[in-house]
Amino acid sequence: MNKGLSILLTATILSSCSAQALEIYNDSTNSLSVGGFIDARVIHTQGQTEIVNGASRINFDFKRQLKEHWSAVAMLEWGVNPVGSSDIIYNNRFESIQDEFLYNRLGYVGIAHDQYGQLTIGKQWGAWYDVVYSTNYSLVWDGNAAGVYTYNKDDGAINGTGRGDKLLQYRNSFGDLSIAAQVQFKNNDFYTCDIEAISESACEVLFNNQSNLAQKVEFNSTYGAALTYTLTDNLTLTTGFNRGEFNIVYGTDGTVQTAVDLIYGAGITYGNFDAKGFYAAANINKNKNHDTDNLGRLIKKAVGLESLVSYRFDNNIRTFLAYNVFDAGDDYVIQPNFNADPNDTFKRQFSVLGVHYLFDDSTLVYIEARKDFCDFSSADKQQEEQMSLSEDDGIAIGFHYVL
């Protein structure tokens, strides 16, 4: 496989850490590598101190050499919860609230060629992630402004911008230009209600009884693409988009509203986060009907910005500062939608300061602190308080071990 395509594929597999893979089998035709990491941390936020899982995972990377420069590829990755169940929720949902010891993160299979590129099918990182991944290096507090982890900090599976479900994806590179294009073949129906802590089955009952608190969402296929251009050894430019469409059926009278889920934007990266020296990255996006606020209400339009600067010293101490903002303004609630005040304000905004000490490139201890600047103003003070529950200042100390 050519070098440019290999680098691009590696970048999209990895989310927020330096990573290596250990080859455990190779007979010149078939190979198997094992990778992943274990991360555990002590976190204090929202008035609580707790030990939580840090999105630990294990993956198996399979390759088989075929004739005429073709190869078969496959990836299986599971999230692992080594510290037990935890119900603390801290800005970025991640795997810290998972009860299961193992749960699916990635799984795809496909074919690759040195010249013709790679075609894969399954659950995999979306093309949009190529545009924005370079600011995703905080181990504790992810940005949640880049449009990756949509629908109130989920994994981006529904619309294919994060770890997308049911993706058919093509990747290739031509010199300094790399491309990714995908289609998500899926048809999802689910129910939403303006009631806290309600099950989907109970929400479906309300919808069938024509409650004005219930809606049925019919989400269909999506598609997207990304371009990555390596301008110099240190400077990379990215751009891309993702688009989907869904219908909202309101329980009151069966009214149907069609909405387009769209995000587009660009990014810039200087340097290498894992190398010694200076690193900087930023990306910006505009989106509509692409994400929800902290109450699950669909956001009509928003602008997201993520930025990060870092420096790794010769003594293997790495510092970084990140600033992220996701601004939907004060006219973001689609009407009719949960009987909400259309003048509610939603602005997720915070900074993260981190210090990592690397014993080596695969073993590190860290401390990260988050300062919250969010604005969730609402005439309904109860809703305003609920919106703020998952956003707060915080500090975390942890250990990160790459397999």
Side-chain angles (χ1 to χ4, degrees):
M1 188 178 297
N2 66 59
K3 181 178 178 182
L5 180 58
S6 176
I7 292 173
L8 178 63
L9 293 171
T10 301
T12 56
I13 290 172
L14 312 178
S15 63
S16 62
C17 65
S18 60
Q20 301 170 356
L22 175 64
E23 187 175 70
I24 61 174
Y25 180 80
N26 191 330
D27 64 4
S28 299
T29 299
N30 301 283
S31 65
L32 169 62
S33 299
V34 178
F37 62 78
I38 298 175
D39 186 302
R41 63 192 58 148
V42 180
I43 182 171
H44 177 79
T45 188
Q46 302 164 34
Q48 301 181 66
T49 301
E50 194 163 350
I51 293 177
V52 299
N53 172 34
S56 304
R57 67 200 63 172
I58 185 170
N59 57 61
F60 298 89
D61 186 8
F62 302 87
K63 288 186 175 65
R64 175 175 296 159
Q65 294 300 317
L66 307 175
K67 60 183 179 179
E68 298 178 355
H69 303 287
W70 286 96
S71 61
V73 297
M75 166 69 72
L76 295 172
E77 181 174 278
W78 293 274
V80 181
N81 187 355
V83 301
S85 176
S86 174
D87 60 4
I88 191 171
I89 301 174
Y90 55 94
N91 182 54
N92 187 345
R93 181 176 171 184
F94 265 92
E95 281 70 27
S96 298
I97 62 170
Q98 291 285 349
D99 292 330
E100 301 87 354
F101 178 70
L102 286 174
Y103 44 96
N104 180 39
R105 283 178 55 92
L106 298 171
Y108 60 84
V109 64
I111 56 174
H113 189 275
D114 291 346
Q115 180 180 354
Y116 303 131
Q118 176 169 294
L119 185 69
T120 50
I121 301 174
K123 183 175 177 66
Q124 52 197 307
W125 284 105
W128 173 251
Y129 192 61
D130 292 12
V131 181
V132 298
Y133 79 91
S134 60
T135 55
N136 190 21
Y137 285 110
S138 169
L139 291 171
V140 183
W141 283 283
D142 209 327
N144 285 317
V148 176
Y149 305 113
T150 55
Y151 298 129
N152 201 14
K153 308 158 193 172
D154 208 349
D155 70 348
I158 295 296
N159 43 24
T161 51
R163 296 190 298 274
D165 288 346
K166 302 180 180 180
L167 290 180
L168 173 64
Q169 188 177 90
Y170 173 75
R171 294 180 174 276
N172 206 348
S173 63
F174 308 91
D176 295 326
L177 178 66
S178 299
I179 65 170
Q182 69 183 41
V183 178
Q184 186 179 35
F185 293 108
K186 58 188 285 293
N187 291 279
N188 277 9
D189 293 347
F190 56 92
Y191 298 87
T192 63
C193 285
D194 186 23
I195 299 175
E196 188 177 2
I198 185 174
S199 67
E200 185 174 354
S201 60
C203 186
E204 182 179 358
V205 171
L206 289 180
F207 177 84
N208 292 332
N209 290 330
Q210 297 184 315
S211 170
N212 64 348
L213 299 177
Q215 300 83 32
K216 179 181 179 181
V217 180
E218 300 169 346
F219 203 114
N220 298 315
S221 300
T222 72
Y223 58 91
L227 299 176
T228 301
Y229 183 68
T230 305
L231 194 62
T232 69
D233 289 342
N234 284 321
L235 188 61
T236 301
L237 306 177
T238 58
T239 187
F241 77 98
N242 196 83
R243 187 186 190 280
E245 190 172 294
F246 55 91
N247 297 322
I248 304 173
V249 183
Y250 294 95
T252 307
D253 56 6
T255 301
V256 178
Q257 179 178 2
T258 299
V260 172
D261 172 354
L262 176 65
I263 185 169
Y264 58 94
I268 184 170
T269 304
Y270 179 85
N272 183 335
F273 183 77
D274 293 318
K276 293 180 180 179
F278 179 72
Y279 174 85
N283 53 73
I284 188 170
N285 71 82
K286 295 189 71 174
N287 60 85
K288 64 179 182 178
N289 304 319
H290 182 68
D291 208 343
T292 57
D293 67 10
N294 293 350
L295 296 179
R297 301 179 301 193
L298 190 65
I299 294 174
K300 183 166 53 178
K301 290 182 180 180
V303 175
L305 169 71
E306 292 193 1
S307 59
L308 183 145
V309 293
S310 172
Y311 195 90
R312 179 173 173 179
F313 297 90
D314 290 337
N315 60 4
N316 288 322
I317 292 177
R318 178 171 61 210
T319 61
F320 77 86
L321 177 64
Y323 170 75
N324 302 281
V325 58
F326 184 82
D327 190 356
D330 58 1
D331 183 26
Y332 73 90
V333 180
I334 293 179
Q335 294 295 318
N337 190 344
F338 302 111
N339 299 318
D341 182 348
N343 295 318
D344 284 1
T345 298
F346 186 84
K347 187 176 184 180
R348 180 185 292 137
Q349 180 178 215
F350 62 92
S351 293
V352 179
L353 177 65
V355 179
H356 299 173
Y357 177 72
L358 292 86
F359 294 99
D360 56 36
D361 287 340
S362 302
T363 312
L364 62 101
V365 293
Y366 60 86
I367 180 170
E368 295 185 6
R370 180 188 194 271
K371 181 61 180 176
D372 182 70
F373 305 105
C374 294
D375 179 7
F376 302 131
S377 303
S378 175
D380 187 328
K381 295 307 176 184
Q382 183 178 3
Q383 286 191 351
E384 182 177 313
E385 182 178 351
Q386 291 175 351
M387 292 268 278
S388 302
L389 284 177
S390 62
E391 314 282 352
D392 198 3
D393 298 343
I395 188 167
I397 301 173
F399 185 77
H400 190 88
Y401 180 90
V402 179
L403 302 179

